Amino acid sequence: MSGKTTLIDHPLILHKLAMMRDKDTSTKKFRTLLREISMLMGYELMRDLPVEEIEIETPLEKMKAKALSGKKLCIVPILRAGLGFVDGLLELVPAARVGHIGLYRNPDTLEAVDYYKKFPDDMGSRIVLAVDPMLATGHSAVAAVNHIKKTGATDIRFLCLIAAPVGIETFHAAHPDVPIYTAAIDRELNDHGYILPGIGDAGDRIFGTK
Ligand code: URA
């Protein structure tokens, strides 16, 4: 089975992403744009969530209306840049749980090393959205999903802003059952594992640390 990548390239998303890429965009603006994009992407990502008929009463009469059914959501940001996606997604699904996974890249090997994990107990019965703005080498994403699968989760989706072709390939090879949703597929990685043309260091740009 080979994995599926969905490009969510709605004009509003592309416009906001262009502003995020601009090196002169401020931290405040960058954060706002990421929050807006995460809502637009989340909207598309959740298009296939199951709904059920429920009976309600409007001020005028009874009716059968559609409401979300089935599995609940868990958002799992990969620390720290993944945090930039959380507020926007929670705005769409306020009852979602939030797990966390902390990974850093070994600067020499570019391998992902984990330093923190915390998930809700019932991951097996949830749709899990693993989120990280940049799918670069794919090592962090693969490692994060390895940890998420160990919790018993089986319905997992990976959401990013920009993916590199090599990251997509690595991720699908390791997790063909986990679809990727991205707003852009950029050209390549530089020698330090950064995506070109990219947005630079997503964590630094979200948190203003550089
Ligand atoms: N992480 C980032 O923040 N930016 C990249 O370009 C690649 C990985």
Side-chain angles (χ1 to χ4, degrees):
M1 180 170 49
S2 76
K4 183 168 176 229
T5 295
T6 302
L7 195 57
I8 307 181
D9 54 358
H10 188 285
L12 282 174
I13 294 177
L14 295 182
H15 181 82
K16 290 174 191 297
L17 180 57
M19 289 194 272
M20 289 182 77
R21 288 182 187 273
D22 188 331
K23 66 178 175 41
D24 293 327
T25 295
S26 69
T27 300
K28 178 173 180 285
K29 183 77 185 161
F30 189 91
R31 239 181 244 158
T32 304
L33 290 164
L34 183 54
R35 188 174 154 282
E36 290 169 355
I37 289 185
S38 58
M39 291 174 74
L40 294 168
M41 293 187 78
Y43 175 80
E44 195 54 37
L45 179 75
M46 294 178 213
R47 177 173 287 284
D48 66 342
L49 292 188
V51 290
E52 63 184 357
E53 272 195 350
I54 56 167
E55 193 161 287
I56 57 163
E57 202 169 339
T58 76
L60 299 176
E61 62 178 25
K62 286 190 174 161
M63 71 168 284
K64 290 193 195 311
K66 295 222 163 65
L68 287 174
S69 73
K71 292 181 180 177
K72 306 286 185 218
L73 255 72
C74 180
I75 303 161
V76 180
I78 301 175
L79 303 179
R80 68 184 161 140
L83 290 172
F85 269 120
V86 175
D87 287 353
L89 292 172
L90 279 179
E91 204 134 321
L92 295 180
V93 192
R97 299 297 163 92
V98 182
H100 290 88
I101 179 147
L103 297 166
Y104 67 88
R105 283 204 296 182
N106 179 317
D108 299 324
T109 63
L110 303 184
E111 291 293 330
V113 183
D114 67 290
Y115 63 88
Y116 183 76
K117 293 187 289 268
K118 187 85 180 173
F119 303 109
D121 293 336
D122 54 353
M123 290 284 276
S125 59
R126 291 183 179 271
I127 296 171
V128 178
L129 307 183
V131 297
D132 192 350
M134 309 304 276
L135 180 60
T137 61
H139 294 156
S140 308
V142 168
V145 173
N146 284 340
H147 288 298
I148 291 169
K149 284 184 173 173
K150 281 187 201 145
T151 67
T154 54
D155 189 344
I156 307 167
R157 301 159 194 211
F158 186 82
L159 174 64
C160 61
L161 193 58
I162 303 178
V166 66
I168 293 177
E169 203 177 301
T170 300
F171 187 83
H172 282 326
H175 297 295
D177 54 320
V178 179
I180 296 170
Y181 295 82
T182 184
I185 299 173
D186 275 9
R187 197 177 68 244
E188 61 185 348
L189 300 183
N190 71 10
D191 292 343
H192 303 286
Y194 280 87
I195 297 177
L196 297 174
I199 51 172
D201 188 296
D204 281 342
R205 296 206 62 192
I206 295 166
F207 298 107
T209 40
K210 211 171 238 173

